[in-house]
Amino acid sequence: MDEALKDQFGRRFAYLRLSITDVCNFRCEYCLPDGYQGTPRGFLGRGEIQRLIGYFARLGIRKLRLTGGEPLVRRDVLDIVRDAAATPGIERLAMTTNGYRLVDLAQPLREAGLDAINISLDSLDSENFERITGDRRHVQVMAGVEAALATGFEQVKINTVLLRGLNDFEVADFVEYVRERALSVRFIELMRTRDNSDYFDQRHVRALAVAQQLEADGWTRYQREATDGPAIEFSHPDYAGRIGFITPYAAGFCDGCNRLRVTARGGLRLCLFGDGTRDLRPLLQDDAQETAFRESVFDALFHKTAGHRLHEGDYGDTPHLAMTGG
Ligand code: SAM
Ligand code: SF4
């Protein structure tokens, strides 16, 4: 029988974000400004991933997001999606990607069982996009968004990290972008990590002012499901799409935390901004270790803290989000 994953504060965990690689081909200034510098091997193999998802599904995980690094750099990404979609208990399968291969892969991913997709797009302008991501494939990513929309995913979302002086002046363009497109653009407040603190001081923008402007323009807060996570979303009768905000520095952000994270090497992370990981990989080597796996996860959850300590200047040991699957 399924056991619910709960922590000592009564929060239930039915959502897992699994990184399938640390490698990324972009150099987003706030994440990997010098490109990927690690050892590009040694990530969980397909069999380990399949076992991990099965174990977690039997622990009550219902929603799974595949992320990275850039998940689409993995050659076996379609097999991983197919395995995950076929896992009993997994009701919703999503992915976060920089979108560089979506023109070719949107349809195969949908056919393999992917339900929803988040595409990172920090600018609608090619030059600006290259300035922020270090990559010239803006046209390709934009076409990837259209391919995703045409494919009929249950949900297409755009992630845009708000950056002072780099894209905060594009908010009106993004709002216009959703006028005819049934997707949700989510402005994410830049998060401080171990490696980007100077950048953070220079570029962090509070999303609240942007949200207030939207409300003044007739957008209304959209009531989302309790299990949807920490974004707040706005809709408007004249627009097909929605605008959302993810504000990790806002009060109460951690109260509804419903997610666990596993790194591409099998480390369980309880908080994006926490310290350390619980190594689950040794328990993924054969089916006999499911009980030990459960015990390890329950024990780790028992130590999950009430919230992050970003306000005290403690942003944990995450070097950048490519490492933990942001
Ligand atoms: N490479 C994929 C992508 O960019 O969509 C998946 C991994 S990336 C780490 C996941 C998301 O985290 C992206 O939307 C990215 O913009 C966001 N992200 C990365 N570093 C961030 C930071 N320091 N603050 C806020 N968001 C960040
Ligand atoms: Fe790569 Fe995503 Fe990080 Fe950009 S945000 S460098 S695309 S992992």
Side-chain angles (χ1 to χ4, degrees):
M1 209 176 73
D2 287 345
E3 296 169 62
L5 287 170
K6 264 195 266 174
D7 69 5
Q8 50 172 333
F9 305 100
R11 294 175 296 196
R12 294 174 75 96
F13 298 87
Y15 178 16
L16 174 68
R17 296 169 82 108
L18 172 62
S19 173
I20 57 172
T21 178
D22 290 350
V23 176
C24 187
N25 54 345
F26 280 22
R27 299 165 170 249
C28 300
E29 282 189 332
Y30 49 80
C31 182
L32 295 174
D34 303 317
Y36 178 69
Q37 301 286 322
T39 313
R41 67 185 85 89
F43 305 121
L44 294 180
R46 181 179 167 192
E48 291 170 309
I49 290 176
Q50 199 177 359
R51 196 168 281 128
L52 177 105
I53 296 172
Y55 286 176
F56 269 116
R58 287 192 284 283
L59 280 172
I61 291 292
R62 295 291 166 260
K63 177 172 170 185
L64 174 68
R65 178 173 299 279
L66 301 175
T67 179
E70 174 44 45
L72 297 185
V73 303
R74 262 189 89 133
R75 291 211 183 106
D76 55 358
V77 65
L78 288 175
D79 294 324
I80 293 171
V81 168
R82 219 171 278 118
D83 294 343
T87 306
I90 298 298
E91 293 165 3
R92 192 166 170 79
L93 181 60
M95 178 181 284
T96 303
T97 169
N98 65 28
Y100 86 108
R101 288 182 73 198
L102 277 185
V103 169
D104 297 330
L105 285 184
Q107 186 69 37
L109 283 166
R110 181 72 180 120
E111 283 164 10
L114 194 71
D115 300 309
I117 194 149
N118 284 27
I119 304 159
S120 299
L121 179 64
D122 289 333
S123 177
L124 292 169
D125 173 83
S126 290
E127 260 178 52
N128 215 17
F129 177 87
E130 185 178 342
R131 159 84 173 78
I132 298 168
T133 64
D135 196 275
R136 293 198 167 160
R137 284 169 281 193
H138 184 249
V139 172
Q140 208 168 304
V141 174
M142 296 286 280
V145 176
E146 301 302 333
L149 283 170
T151 300
F153 285 106
E154 286 170 19
Q155 251 179 356
V156 178
K157 292 181 190 164
I158 301 286
N159 287 359
T160 304
V161 180
L162 268 180
L163 301 166
R164 180 181 307 284
L166 290 179
N167 66 5
D168 53 348
F169 50 82
E170 286 193 51
V171 170
D173 296 335
F174 276 105
V175 171
E176 199 47 41
Y177 187 69
V178 304
R179 188 183 284 276
E180 307 290 343
R181 293 178 179 82
L183 50 75
S184 161
V185 169
R186 329 240 291 190
F187 293 111
I188 307 177
E189 270 189 30
L190 179 63
M191 301 176 210
R192 182 177 215 143
T193 60
R194 199 191 66 198
D195 289 357
N196 77 0
S197 56
D198 290 348
Y199 190 84
F200 177 89
D201 292 341
Q202 199 187 349
R203 300 293 181 193
H204 178 252
V205 186
R206 286 245 175 235
L208 194 64
V210 182
Q212 283 166 344
Q213 183 57 51
L214 273 187
E215 279 187 302
D217 293 343
W219 289 74
T220 47
R221 198 160 161 173
Y222 177 80
Q223 285 309 325
R224 303 172 71 240
E225 303 281 313
T227 51
D228 276 348
I232 48 169
E233 282 208 342
F234 291 85
S235 62
H236 189 294
D238 298 341
Y239 292 77
R242 295 197 188 125
I243 301 285
F245 297 90
I246 299 180
T247 57
Y249 296 91
F253 182 79
C254 300
D255 299 350
C257 183
N258 63 353
R259 57 202 58 199
L260 300 176
R261 293 182 163 79
V262 173
T263 69
R265 291 185 164 82
L268 173 66
R269 251 193 121 92
L270 299 173
C271 173
L272 202 46
F273 304 103
D275 288 313
T277 56
R278 169 74 56 112
D279 187 10
L280 299 176
R281 192 169 204 172
L283 306 174
L284 297 173
Q285 304 314 308
D286 60 63
D287 292 337
Q289 283 162 301
E290 184 159 0
T291 305
F293 179 93
R294 279 166 181 259
E295 281 165 7
S296 184
V297 172
F298 279 122
D299 180 62
L301 257 187
F302 183 75
H303 294 100
K304 182 170 164 66
T305 55
H308 63 55
R309 295 181 305 277
L310 292 173
H311 301 284
E312 292 138 51
D314 180 349
Y315 32 89
D317 62 359
T318 299
H320 45 71
L321 297 199
M323 190 79 195
T324 40

